[in-house]
């Protein structure tokens, strides 16, 4: 709430850092080895982003003293782009989302990665002055992320990892909109409306898919529960793919309207929208195939997660239409000339998925998973470990002095941290359900006080 309400650089940085550090707890929640690795990578990325964002905002404030504003714009693009999953700064995202529990993944992908986008909208010179070179860079990186995210996501097996790469792809399109705004300040009022509608649409649809992936992971009984699972996974997937009559179709029509006729760069982004719809549809078809729930050993079903998941899936379908601009785009996207363009990417993805399933059953093998989650980070990590291992084996004896046995740290962990953690866990008798409800009640009371004070 603090991050979204403030428009001043200093409070924004404070809330940005607090939100980034609190997200570390969501990623580390399960305490498994993959969660610890993902948490460490995320923590390094988010702190680096905070430092660069601080540097960019400080340079922008003191630009009149001789610090070039180009450095401010570049530092903001990179620092906030780390949070937004901008390629090639996206490497933490496919590690963090699968490691976190499904509700945490829904929050991370649906809301928290938008913090970088919010910082761009607040502090870049959008609508004020043209920055064509930086805009070109953002459009190029955004389009690269839109298609590379989909391509690498197709090579994944874990449903939540596939959704993480889908988030990278969708954030790429949003970054491209910001880049177009940097190149064409006069078009920013309409572009900003499209961007905000895109944020709402993606937040609801992707949140529903992450909650659904968690809800069906342990199997779904036959009958009505299985039908509800089809609805809860299918509706947000259709919305993200831009099917006619969905919020995704309205947003993409608004993207086309806002970006047409500006310059060749924005024209290229608009021209690539149909190819992007095909890539998104293929990726979501891959997700649906990998996440389709098996039959459980015992037909039991927890109602709690399902209620919120299905509600979010239904809200995400018409919610972006409740706002006047997107209501207009929605009517336009339902025009007869727009129905077929919105359907053929989905039909093409369905045909390609059926062909892939048929080939795998004929013995040709499934779609390969040769790209590890984290792609460029995983490759760099593997290369660094190989180099260090070779260096330690073949180098002089002094190179092994950099990792001595840390007996003091082990003593502190064993004598102080473990007993303290045990006492805290035992003392917390409320558990997450009660304490979470109390926290939401406190937020509601504070919000009511804020309204009364106004």
């Amino acid at each position: 709430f603090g991050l979204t309400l403030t428009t001043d650089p200093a409070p924004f940085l404070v809330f940005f850092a607090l939100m980034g550090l609190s997200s570390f707890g969501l990623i580390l929640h399960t305490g498994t080895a993959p969660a610890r690795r993902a948490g460490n990578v995320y923590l390094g990325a988010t702190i680096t982003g905070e430092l660069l964002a601080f540097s960019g905002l400080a340079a922008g404030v003191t630009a009149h003293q001789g610090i070039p504003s180009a450095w401010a714009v570049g530092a903001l693009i990179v620092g906030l782009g780390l949070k937004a999953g901008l390629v090639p700064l996206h490497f933490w995202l496919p590690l963090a989302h699968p490691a976190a529990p499904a509700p945490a993944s829904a929050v991370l992908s649906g809301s928290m990665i938008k913090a970088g986008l919010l910082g761009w909208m607040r502090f870049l010179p959008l609508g004020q002055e043209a920055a064509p070179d930086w805009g070109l860079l953002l459009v190029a990186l955004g389009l690269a992320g839109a298609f590379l995210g989909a391509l690498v996501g197709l090579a994944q097996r874990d449903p939540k990892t596939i959704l993480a790469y889908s988030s990278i792809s969708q954030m790429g399109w949003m970054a491209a909109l910001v880049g177009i705004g940097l190149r064409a300040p006069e078009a920013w009022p309409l572009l900003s409306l499209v961007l905000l509608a895109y944020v709402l649409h993606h937040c609801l649809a992707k949140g529903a898919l992450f909650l659904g992936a968690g809800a069906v992971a342990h199997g779904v009984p036959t009958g009505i529960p299985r039908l509800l699972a089809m609805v809860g996974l299918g509706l947000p997937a259709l919305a993200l793919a831009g099917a006619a009559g969905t919020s995704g179709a309205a947003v993409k029509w608004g993207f086309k309207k806002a970006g047409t006729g500006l310059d060749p760069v924005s024209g290229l982004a608009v021209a690539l929208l149909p190819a992007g719809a095909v890539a998104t549809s293929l990726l979501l078809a891959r997700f649906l195939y990998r996440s389709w729930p098996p039959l459980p050993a015992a037909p039991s079903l927890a109602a709690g997660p399902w209620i919120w998941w299905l509600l979010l899936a239904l809200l995400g379908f018409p919610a972006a239409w409740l706002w006047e601009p997107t209501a207009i785009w929605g009517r336009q996207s339902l025009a007869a000339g727009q129905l077929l363009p919105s359907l053929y990417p989905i039909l093409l993805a369905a045909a390609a998925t059926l062909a892939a399933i048929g080939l795998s059953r004929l013995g040709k093998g499934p779609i390969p998973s040769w790209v590890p989650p984290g792609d460029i980070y995983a490759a760099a990590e593997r290369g660094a470990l190989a180099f260090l291992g070779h260096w330690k084996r073949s180098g002089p004896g002094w190179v092994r002095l950099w990792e001595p046995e840390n007996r003091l740290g082990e003593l502190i962990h064993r004598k102080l941290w473990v007993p303290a953690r045990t006492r805290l866990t035992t003392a917390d008798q409320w558990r997450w359900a009660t304490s979470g409800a109390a926290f939401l009640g406190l937020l509601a009371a504070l919000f009511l006080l804020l309204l009364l004070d106004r």
Side-chain angles (χ1 to χ4, degrees), residues 224-322:
I224 294 179
R226 212 161 182 81
L227 180 62
L228 290 177
M230 293 173 61
V231 172
L233 291 175
L235 286 184
L238 286 172
L240 275 181
T246 67
S247 58
V251 167
K252 289 179 180 178
W253 195 91
F255 192 131
K256 184 185 299 185
K257 181 177 178 58
T260 299
L262 297 178
D263 61 12
V265 173
S266 61
L268 175 63
V270 170
L272 288 175
L273 278 173
V278 174
T280 300
S281 301
L282 285 170
L283 189 59
L284 291 171
R286 172 73 168 162
F287 162 75
L288 292 173
Y289 175 70
R290 293 298 304 174
S291 62
W292 188 243
L295 291 173
S300 60
L301 193 65
W306 277 64
I307 294 173
W308 302 114
W309 162 38
L310 294 173
L311 179 62
L312 195 60
L314 293 173
L315 280 176
F317 215 65
W321 297 54
L322 303 179

Side-chain angles (χ1 to χ4, degrees), residues 193-213:
L193 289 178
V194 177
L195 191 56
L196 290 174
Y198 210 140
V199 168
L200 174 63
H201 148 72
H202 180 258
C203 178
L204 294 171
K206 189 56 64 66
L209 287 175
F210 267 112
L211 288 179

Side-chain angles (χ1 to χ4, degrees), residues 81-445:
L82 270 163
K83 179 67 71 179
L86 180 70
V87 168
L89 311 171
H90 66 286
F91 52 86
W92 63 270
L93 210 146
L95 299 175
H97 288 191
S105 298
V107 173
L108 284 168
S109 184
S111 300
M112 288 188 172
I113 62 172
K114 309 299 191 304
L117 185 68
L118 178 64
W120 285 341
M121 296 177 71
R122 287 270 164 82
F123 303 115
L124 289 178
L126 292 161
Q128 302 171 12
E129 58 181 276
D133 294 337
W134 290 116
L136 177 62
L137 177 66
L138 260 184
V139 172
L141 293 179
L143 293 178
F147 290 98
L148 286 175
L151 180 63
V152 178
L154 284 172
Q156 306 302 314
R157 294 185 182 276
D158 180 66
K160 289 172 68 179
T161 306
I162 297 172
L163 289 181
Y165 277 102
S166 171
S167 293
I168 294 169
S169 178
Q170 296 299 311
M171 291 302 295
W173 289 109
M174 297 182 212
L177 279 169
V178 176
I180 294 172
L182 283 175
R183 293 179 60 85
E186 71 282 358
W188 179 242
L190 182 55
L191 287 168
S192 63
L193 289 178
V194 177
L195 191 56
L196 290 174
Y198 210 140
V199 168
L200 174 63
H201 148 72
H202 180 258
C203 178
L204 294 171
K206 189 56 64 66
L209 287 175
F210 267 112
L211 288 179
V216 304
H218 302 293
V220 178
T222 56
I224 294 179
R226 212 161 182 81
L227 180 62
L228 290 177
M230 293 173 61
V231 172
L233 291 175
L235 286 184
L238 286 172
L240 275 181
T246 67
S247 58
V251 167
K252 289 179 180 178
W253 195 91
F255 192 131
K256 184 185 299 185
K257 181 177 178 58
T260 299
L262 297 178
D263 61 12
V265 173
S266 61
L268 175 63
V270 170
L272 288 175
L273 278 173
V278 174
T280 300
S281 301
L282 285 170
L283 189 59
L284 291 171
R286 172 73 168 162
F287 162 75
L288 292 173
Y289 175 70
R290 293 298 304 174
S291 62
W292 188 243
L295 291 173
S300 60
L301 193 65
W306 277 64
I307 294 173
W308 302 114
W309 162 38
L310 294 173
L311 179 62
L312 195 60
L314 293 173
L315 280 176
F317 215 65
W321 297 54
L322 303 179
W323 189 18
E324 185 180 353
T326 50
I328 297 171
W329 304 337
R331 289 194 293 272
Q332 294 290 339
S333 66
L334 278 172
Q338 300 294 327
L339 291 177
L340 186 58
S342 71
L343 287 178
Y344 85 78
I346 299 172
L347 296 176
L348 181 60
T353 302
L354 292 175
I357 294 172
L359 288 175
S360 65
R361 291 182 177 177
L362 289 174
K364 303 297 183 182
I367 295 176
S369 183
W370 42 266
V371 182
D375 46 89
I376 58 175
Y377 175 82
E381 181 185 51
R382 200 173 290 177
L385 290 175
F387 173 75
L388 288 175
H390 174 74
W391 194 34
K392 288 166 61 177
R393 288 192 304 270
S394 60
W398 60 265
V399 301
R400 289 184 288 277
L401 296 178
W402 67 284
E403 51 175 16
E405 184 179 358
N406 191 349
R407 293 177 180 170
L408 177 62
E410 182 185 354
L411 181 66
I412 293 174
H413 181 269
R414 181 163 42 88
K415 294 295 186 180
L416 296 178
W417 168 244
V418 173
R421 183 180 62 184
T422 304
R423 292 191 189 97
L424 286 173
T425 305
T426 306
D428 182 18
Q429 298 299 327
W430 277 13
R431 307 299 178 192
W432 280 107
T434 309
S435 56
F439 178 68
L440 290 176
L442 177 62
L443 284 180

